[in-house]
Amino acid sequence: MVEEAGVDRGSGRAAEAAEAAEPLELWLLQAQKLVPLTLEKAMEVKVFPGRWKMIVSKLEQLPSRLSDLSSHPCFLKNALCKEQLQAVLKTLKEAIALTELCLGEKFEGKLRMQSDLDSLSGKLDLNLRDCGLLIKTGVLGEATLPLSVSGCSSQWESTDYSSIKELLARLQIGHMESKHRALDSLVEILKEDDDNVLSIFGRNNVAALVQLLTATSPCIREKAITVICLLAESGSCENWLVSEGVLPSLIRLIESGSAVGKEKAVISLQRLSMSAETARAIVGHGGVQPLIELCKTGDSVTQAAAACTLKNISVVPEVRQTLAEKGIIRVMIRLVDCGILLGSKEYAAECLQNLTASNDALRKSVVSEGGLRCILTYLDGPLPQESAVGALRNLVNSVSKEVLLSLGFLPRLVHVLKSGSLGAQQAAASAICRVCNSPEMKKLIGEAECIPLLIKLLEAKSNSVREVSTQAMSSLMTLSQNCREVKRDEKSIPNLVQLLDPSPHNTAKKYAVACLGLLSSSRKCKRLMISYGAIGYLKKLSEMDTPGAKKLLDKLEKGKLRSLFSRK
């Protein structure tokens, strides 16, 4: 009984498959019969010879396209084939109707007939292109493959994989209305399971989406940019998006798109601009000015995304002057002062840091626009960020010592060393290195109680933080009163001796030698250095020709000998 039931079910399924396949073969047969008939009639037409000659040349290409389509292994398994044959038949019937009107010269007017013939030519182009795409892009095979993805969610497993592939194929073929319907369905599916759907996008699907950004319908553009934004954020199709020409379309949407279009476009640019090559291309396509305008007038989300995009672009040294010429400096200073979101302020500060990294003219521009005052005020926040302190470090030598002090540089410096992120503290130590160019400034920094904070930073896990902190100390300690301050801190010598470690990754050792050398005139300090193992380190550093190591070693060894004799 079970076997009989199995046979019945099997034969039933075979019959259903045969019924489903039969209409498709009939559609093909009708198209194959109708093409020569249409060609014959078209060749007889004498009016509008140029247009009919073009139509005939396109009709002559149809048989080979239909043959390629019907010989595909998936021809009978895909609804796209049936729809494509129906479209071809509809075009052929329209062509026959027009041939009869032209042969009998019964058309209403020349201009209208010319328009109808141009429309027919366009439809034949679309039929030929779509038949070719179905074969060339492999969408027929893709849209009929079974789901075979490991580790998928249960929701994804319940989704019809072939239908998703079919939707992606529909983005490439057919009229705009059918593409719109496919886009609608795709957006709905992406709301439920965007990660897995995005993972099966191919380059042709990406190219089709980019083309939809130029559609006349604002609704289609919005839906297309929604999907493109997801693709950009996923990081899986960045190169395809750029190579398929998405940047000019994104910039146009920022300039004149709807609120949703602008937001999705600028978020897409934010992600894509992380590549230096793409950042240059955004500048080349005229994207800077629209982004600057968004920083001025956008809502919180678009303003932050535009500021981040400009920050990413400012990383590229050769475009910084162009950015400045477009007015970016004033806009970024304004954002640091009164950006809607904290993120916008941070991106703007980082942009100013990049702009002032290596260009003295841009540093002067930032200062003249009030950027230094603005950055110092921004540092009053509870957790000063590295970007703002980095911008401050770049600017400290662009103004006089008097101006710097009058703006409250030292209290902000202390605040950063106490409360800033580790990166901010490193930048603050670096700023100290830059401004320690006179005994008076060294004295003021010492009196501001920066030295104990620098000594604490010598314990940081980051090698670069330890290096710049030791460098700042070595500069400050050339002033005797600062040197005395270091001596009074019980952590200073053990921390500095630890930084004599000769290993290659320890780049603070030469500054540690300099600091300890300045302390070596004190017997107490020498004894402490010896007790914490400085001699062993210094022997290795002497062999490595580290500046000052041999001299300091001699001092400590002499002190050790004197100590031994005095005990005897």
Side-chain angles (χ1 to χ4, degrees), residues 238-239 271-280 282 312 316:
E238 293 171 345
N239 291 336
R271 173 69 196 205
L272 296 172
S273 62
M274 292 171 70
S275 155
E277 186 177 346
T278 304
R280 291 186 194 96
I282 292 170
N312 292 342
V316 184

Side-chain angles (χ1 to χ4, degrees), residues 23 52 63 113 116 143 203 211 224 292 317 336 347 363 385 398 432-433 464 467 497 517 554:
W52 276 109
M113 179 53 69
D116 289 343
R203 180 164 189 161
Q211 288 173 6
I292 286 176
V336 172
Y347 294 139
R363 290 183 193 127
Q385 294 300 304
S398 297
I432 290 174
C433 295
S464 57
E467 179 186 9
V497 170
D554 290 342

Side-chain angles (χ1 to χ4, degrees), residues 276 341 355 442 446 544 551:
L341 296 177
L355 291 170
K442 292 177 184 181
M544 295 163 61
K551 184 179 178 181

Side-chain angles (χ1 to χ4, degrees), residues 324 327-331 333-334 337 352 362-374:
I328 194 173
I329 290 174
R330 182 172 295 179
V331 172
I333 290 171
R334 183 174 175 274
D337 231 357
L352 290 174
L362 294 184
R363 290 183 193 127
K364 289 176 181 174
S365 295
V366 172
V367 171
S368 67
E369 293 285 355
L372 185 57
R373 175 205 55 76
C374 174

Side-chain angles (χ1 to χ4, degrees), residues 348-398:
E350 192 168 348
C351 185
L352 290 174
Q353 179 187 7
N354 293 336
L355 291 170
T356 56
S358 58
N359 189 313
D360 196 48
L362 294 184
R363 290 183 193 127
K364 289 176 181 174
S365 295
V366 172
V367 171
S368 67
E369 293 285 355
L372 185 57
R373 175 205 55 76
C374 174
I375 289 165
L376 285 165
T377 303
Y378 177 53
L379 290 177
D380 286 334
L383 186 63
Q385 294 300 304
E386 179 181 357
S387 54
V389 190
L392 174 62
R393 175 199 58 211
N394 295 344
L395 295 172
V396 289
N397 288 332
S398 297

Side-chain angles (χ1 to χ4, degrees), residues 132-260:
L133 275 173
L134 284 172
I135 303 301
K136 184 175 69 175
T137 63
V139 294
L140 288 182
E142 289 177 349
T144 51
L145 286 172
L147 177 61
S148 175
V149 182
S150 61
C152 291
S153 65
S154 57
Q155 183 180 4
W156 175 250
E157 287 168 355
S158 66
T159 304
D160 184 353
Y161 179 86
S162 62
S163 70
I164 294 169
K165 279 294 187 180
E166 189 175 303
L167 281 177
L168 295 176
R170 289 180 189 279
L171 295 177
Q172 301 174 57
I173 64 172
H175 296 282
M176 190 56 73
E177 186 54 39
S178 67
K179 291 178 180 179
H180 191 182
R181 288 194 298 270
L183 200 52
D184 272 338
S185 301
L186 186 61
V187 169
E188 287 304 311
I189 292 172
L190 283 168
K191 287 178 183 176
E192 303 297 326
D193 193 359
D194 59 334
D195 289 342
N196 285 309
V197 176
L198 291 173
S199 69
I200 60 173
F201 264 76
R203 180 164 189 161
N204 293 307
N205 309 131
V206 172
L209 275 171
V210 171
Q211 288 173 6
L212 290 176
L213 289 180
T214 58
T216 53
S217 163
C219 187
I220 291 178
R221 292 199 300 270
E222 272 194 16
K223 288 167 186 172
I225 188 55
T226 298
V227 180
I228 283 173
C229 186
L230 288 169
L231 283 171
E233 289 186 302
S234 73
S236 58
C237 302
E238 293 171 345
N239 291 336
W240 287 347
L241 284 167
V242 174
S243 62
E244 291 298 335
V246 78
L247 296 180
S249 297
L250 293 178
I251 292 165
R252 279 196 296 274
L253 279 174
I254 289 173
E255 289 175 318
S256 57
S258 64
V260 172

Side-chain angles (χ1 to χ4, degrees), residues 10-11 33 38 134 174 189 196 201 231 235-236 276 284 326 346 546 552:
S11 59
K33 286 181 177 178
T38 310
L134 284 172
I189 292 172
N196 285 309
F201 264 76
L231 283 171
S236 58
K326 298 290 184 182
E346 290 174 4
T546 302
L552 180 57

